[in-house]
Amino acid sequence: MTADKTVFIKTYGCQMNVYDSERMSDTLVPLGYAQTDTLEAADLVILNTCHIREKAAEKVYSELGRIRVLKAERDREGRGLMVAVAGCVAQAEGEEIIRRAPVVDMVFGPQTYHRLPDLIDRVTRGERPSATEPDAPAAPARRTRVVETEFPAEDKFDHLPPVDGARARGRGVTAFLTVQEGCDKFCTFCVVPYTRGAEVSRPAEKILAEARALAAAGVREITLLGQNVNAYHGDGPDGGAWTLARLLRALAAIPGLARLRYTTSHPRDMDDDLIAAHRDLGALMPYLHLPVQSGSDRILAAMNRRHTADDYRRLVDRIRAARPDIALSGDFIVGFPGETDADFEATLDLVRAIDYVGAYTFKYSPRPGTPAADLADAVPEAVATERLHRLQALIDAGERAFAESLVGRTLPVLLEKAGRQQGQLVGRSPYLQPVHVMAPPERIGAIVPVTVESLGRHSLNGTLAEAREPAGASAVRLSA
């Protein structure tokens, strides 16, 4: 179908939202929508939202204020603009979004975006009252607003269009692929169980089919996504339940697919088979995001993490024994209710012990409806801010030290896109760092050996070590 309308999708938050936005775009292709990168050019605007942090939700309302001005201009010109809020803020707040931002036409959660064509149809039809006088001008249509935030009984993936070659070619050489959604852990600070629902795993064969289509279209690296991805237990083609490790082994056998990653993991679901996959699979990159949130057992208990700091340390020891070259990143929350100086120092001790190469650090912000939101003994804002700065400085030092250790080494780098400088390409190291290198554009999609020469800000600079992609690049491993 020829595109005669445009959609602008703004994505907030996690990688799963990025994947969801891509799939929303896929559902709109049969309706004649093409994506645009310009808000002002759009016929349909979708804000795909995140509800993990309070400020993230407020950014959405701020953006809706800007869109309200644009929509008013469109109305004066006689041109329509449809506005939708999707994702986790939509799931959590529902009708409240319509109340706070009347500019919005559609509100739908992360489990109902497969119904987007129907929602658009319902808004577009509207209700047009008849004029009371024969010669009176036609009355304007009354806007129909729709809110879809119920968790549906059907699996949305069964209703999404398949990722065929044409759609896959738009993904570039790296792609996200959702394999699991929801979480059953109920950490006391987290809204995910309430916005994404219970843990659900996609059937393995559907994941493999999507991965094959991506690989056939030139995707070299896939990142498997899930709120608790290592809890994956999907139906396998053999009739049994597949674990994430078994899924990874099957994905690693797909021709052309050179690299695999996954995120985000919970320590309690890191089993022996998954650790062995890190040992056995060259395609599985030596970089693992393994959130812990705190180094204090008292705070971990209050968070309902159901593991201790020592449990986490021992798990990391087992992972490193299987894959000595692995690098770890994590998530940390400071200022959780009741956190003392001693609790915070325990977090700093854990960071030093694990030697992270990066981390996401946050000040605690209460999310309505979560158990932690009702806890007393709030940490003063100034104290939480000071702790955040100290923790981030320690994380930054670890990231810098790790990057410096790579100078002079030759790493396999997947070249992804053109850089800012003429003749420059940007790729990713096995450790997910951006790498800048001078190389011809036809090398995009190749895995090439790059010798690291210097550091940028959160990136590496290097030169090609040889002209050809090494044989067996799909199984490149770094030495310990």
Side-chain angles (χ1 to χ4, degrees):
M1 175 180 288
T2 302
D4 57 2
K5 293 170 284 190
T6 56
V7 57
F8 173 84
I9 304 178
K10 183 166 184 176
T11 306
Y12 301 80
C14 67
Q15 297 98 325
M16 189 172 288
N17 270 13
V18 174
Y19 176 86
D20 287 347
S21 292
E22 291 173 345
R23 302 301 276 132
M24 287 180 206
S25 179
D26 291 344
T27 68
L28 294 171
V29 170
L31 277 65
Y33 282 91
Q35 273 198 266
T36 176
D37 295 328
T38 306
L39 171 64
E40 289 72 18
D43 299 296
L44 167 63
V45 174
I46 302 174
L47 303 183
N48 190 16
T49 61
C50 171
H51 200 55
I52 295 297
R53 302 292 165 205
E54 183 177 8
K55 288 184 179 179
E58 291 307 314
K59 285 179 182 177
V60 173
Y61 286 108
S62 176
E63 184 71 13
L64 287 171
R66 186 161 73 100
I67 293 170
R68 177 180 58 81
V69 175
L70 176 62
K71 187 162 185 171
E73 292 175 357
R74 290 287 189 85
D75 288 344
R76 288 192 294 270
E77 297 169 356
R79 299 165 56 209
L81 177 64
M82 198 177 301
V83 180
V85 177
C88 291
V89 171
Q91 186 68 43
E93 302 198 7
E95 297 278 358
E96 176 68 7
I97 294 174
I98 298 292
R99 188 192 69 78
R100 285 188 61 177
V103 69
V104 175
D105 298 291
M106 294 177 286
V107 177
F108 53 93
Q111 305 305 335
T112 52
Y113 64 75
H114 61 289
R115 297 177 179 173
L116 185 52
D118 175 63
L119 302 183
I120 291 174
D121 182 60
R122 286 160 60 185
V123 171
T124 303
R125 288 200 313 269
E127 298 177 12
R128 187 174 296 278
S130 59
T132 56
E133 299 295 331
D135 297 328
R142 292 199 300 266
R143 287 175 60 204
T144 297
R145 298 183 178 92
V146 294
V147 177
E148 284 275 358
T149 54
E150 295 296 323
F151 288 112
E154 76 270 19
D155 181 354
K156 69 182 177 188
F157 293 103
D158 289 339
H159 298 270
L160 293 172
V163 178
D164 56 19
R167 293 188 177 96
R169 277 189 288 275
R171 304 290 200 254
V173 300
T174 66
F176 295 125
L177 201 170
T178 292
V179 302
Q180 181 272 341
E181 285 196 275
C183 187
D184 295 342
K185 296 296 185 289
F186 287 93
C187 298
T188 58
F189 56 81
C190 186
V191 297
V192 165
Y194 313 103
T195 58
R196 290 276 182 171
E199 289 179 0
V200 176
S201 297
R202 295 178 65 189
E205 186 50 51
K206 292 187 177 181
I207 296 167
L208 293 172
E210 189 168 334
R212 291 186 196 106
L214 291 168
V219 169
R220 304 297 310 277
E221 175 180 298
I222 287 178
T223 299
L224 307 182
L225 301 178
Q227 267 81 35
N228 190 19
V229 68
N230 54 346
Y232 175 83
H233 279 83
D235 293 337
D238 56 1
W242 280 26
T243 63
L244 182 62
R246 188 166 183 184
L247 179 64
L248 286 165
R249 294 178 191 278
L251 289 165
I254 294 176
L257 192 54
R259 290 182 164 188
L260 296 171
R261 303 181 190 273
Y262 62 89
T263 193
T264 291
S265 303
H266 194 290
R268 294 186 64 247
D269 290 309
M270 197 82 193
D271 60 20
D272 291 341
D273 197 24
L274 185 54
I275 293 173
H278 280 277
R279 179 196 65 209
D280 300 336
L281 300 178
L284 185 53
M285 291 294 94
Y287 178 89
L288 176 62
H289 186 65
L290 191 63
V292 63
Q293 308 300 353
S294 175
S296 162
D297 289 348
R298 195 176 67 84
I299 296 300
L300 288 170
M303 290 177 167
N304 194 37
R305 292 290 292 176
R306 291 183 283 178
H307 63 77
T308 66
D310 277 343
D311 291 336
Y312 185 86
R313 288 187 183 94
R314 287 193 294 269
L315 173 60
V316 169
D317 288 343
R318 290 165 52 212
I319 296 168
R320 284 182 167 149
R323 188 74 187 259
D325 60 340
I326 202 162
L328 272 78
S329 66
D331 288 350
F332 292 91
I333 295 172
V334 301
F336 191 82
E339 183 186 63
T340 65
D341 288 342
D343 293 323
F344 177 66
E345 290 297 332
T347 294
L348 297 182
D349 288 343
L350 181 64
V351 170
R352 296 185 188 101
I354 300 302
D355 197 19
Y356 291 97
V357 303
Y360 297 105
T361 61
F362 307 95
K363 282 189 297 186
Y364 171 74
S365 61
R367 310 313 294 134
T370 60
D374 298 325
L375 293 178
D377 201 12
V379 175
E381 181 72 13
V383 173
T385 298
E386 188 270 341
R387 289 175 182 171
L388 182 66
H389 289 163
R390 287 177 60 195
L391 174 60
Q392 190 60 54
L394 186 59
I395 295 292
D396 289 347
E399 179 185 352
R400 183 77 181 181
F402 178 70
E404 289 173 348
S405 75
L406 299 177
V407 174
R409 290 183 59 183
T410 298
L411 306 177
V413 173
L414 172 59
L415 299 177
E416 297 182 14
K417 58 185 179 181
R420 292 184 178 180
Q421 299 179 21
Q422 185 72 24
Q424 183 187 70
L425 297 183
V426 181
R428 293 278 176 176
S429 78
Y431 301 114
L432 208 58
Q433 301 139 308
V435 181
H436 300 92
V437 61
M438 303 304 289
E442 59 266 23
R443 302 308 301 276
I444 290 175
I447 297 175
V448 299
V450 173
T451 301
V452 180
E453 295 186 332
S454 64
L455 308 183
R457 181 171 174 78
H458 306 297
S459 65
L460 307 175
N461 304 310
T463 57
L464 289 177
E466 61 185 48
R468 292 176 173 270
E469 180 176 356
S474 63
V476 167
R477 288 197 60 158
L478 297 177
S479 58

